[in-house]
């Protein structure tokens, strides 16, 4: 994934040079966050918010960057802002669930994960297997987690046959 992210910077840099939109800046900020270039990522998110301060996706991306950086209180603040701006979007609650998992708050993790899934969160398998396997590892063998996967028909790679 690191190589893919490095390669993804070139086209998004070109896109930004042509048209500096909030979405282009958000995408580059997310890539930079994945590359652990947190300062540059936050600069892009800040610039994106000056263009569109009501874009919940920017706040959700910021929350993910803060989560990766280990700044859980900042991650919570950004996640709550994303939810305030767009409470119908499941991914915002998925991010919030991941933050609570990292904080060790199982009840809040499960509550927000279920809300995320109810609201159409489709990235759970990717988050478990690629993005945040360390966050989800403690839950994989829990009955409550397995029941959620079953209820929402989410299959993980090792489950597929």
């Amino acid at each position: 994934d690191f190589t893919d992210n490095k390669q993804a910077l070139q086209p998004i840099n070109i896109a930004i040079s042509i048209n500096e939109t909030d979405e282009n800046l958000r995408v580059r900020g997310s890539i930079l966050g994945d590359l652990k270039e947190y300062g540059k990522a936050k600069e892009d998110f800040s610039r994106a918010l000056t263009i569109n301060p009501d874009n919940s996706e920017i706040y959700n991306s910021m929350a993910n960057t803060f989560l990766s950086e280990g700044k859980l209180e900042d991650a919570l603040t950004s996640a709550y802002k994303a939810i305030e701006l767009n409470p119908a979007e499941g991914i915002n609650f998925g991010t919030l669930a991941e933050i609570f998992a990292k904080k060790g708050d199982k009840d809040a993790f499960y509550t927000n994960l279920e809300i995320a899934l109810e609201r159409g969160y489709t990235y759970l398998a990717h988050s478990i297997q690629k993005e945040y396997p360390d966050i989800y590892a403690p839950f994989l063998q829990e009955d409550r987690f397995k029941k959620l996967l079953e209820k929402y028909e989410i299959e993980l790679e090792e489950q597929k046959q």
Side-chain angles (χ1 to χ4, degrees), residues 56-67:
S56 67
E57 291 181 51
I58 299 166
Y59 285 99
N60 190 65
S61 295
M62 285 174 51
N64 279 306
T65 297
F66 284 128
L67 175 60

Side-chain angles (χ1 to χ4, degrees), residues 2-155:
F2 181 79
T3 309
D4 293 342
N5 283 326
K6 276 267 198 223
Q7 291 172 346
L9 274 177
Q10 185 177 3
I12 196 66
N13 284 336
I14 292 168
I16 289 170
S17 73
I18 295 168
N19 189 11
E20 187 174 285
T21 65
D22 59 322
E23 180 60 13
N24 287 341
L25 288 165
R26 184 198 67 79
V27 169
R28 186 172 70 183
S30 294
I31 293 167
L32 290 166
D34 290 344
L35 293 170
K36 299 186 180 356
E37 294 186 32
Y38 301 122
K40 290 179 181 178
K42 287 181 248 181
E43 286 175 23
D44 277 353
F45 295 140
S46 293
R47 285 171 51 199
L49 287 171
T50 62
I51 296 168
N52 185 356
D54 296 326
N55 185 332
S56 67
E57 291 181 51
I58 299 166
Y59 285 99
N60 190 65
S61 295
M62 285 174 51
N64 279 306
T65 297
F66 284 128
L67 175 60
S68 295
E69 194 177 10
K71 294 186 174 183
L72 301 183
E73 294 309 312
D74 291 334
L76 274 177
T77 299
S78 294
Y80 283 131
K81 183 65 177 178
I83 288 167
E84 175 189 321
L85 291 169
N86 191 352
E89 186 61 58
I91 196 169
N92 296 333
F93 288 93
T95 299
L96 187 59
E98 291 162 355
I99 296 164
F100 281 122
K102 193 76 167 175
K103 287 177 68 79
D105 187 336
K106 275 187 168 185
D107 287 335
F109 165 75
Y110 279 114
T111 298
N112 286 288
L113 184 59
E114 180 120 37
I115 293 169
L117 293 168
E118 286 171 355
R119 295 180 186 192
Y121 180 52
T122 58
Y123 302 103
L124 183 58
H126 175 79
S127 288
I128 293 169
Q129 295 170 317
K130 305 273 190 227
E131 196 168 10
Y132 296 119
D134 59 316
I135 289 176
Y136 287 96
F139 300 98
L140 292 177
Q141 299 308 314
E142 291 187 4
D143 286 339
R144 188 173 177 186
F145 192 76
K146 290 177 182 178
K147 286 178 183 171
L148 276 178
L149 293 178
E150 186 177 312
K151 179 178 178 180
Y152 291 95
E153 300 176 355
I154 297 165
E155 289 190 23

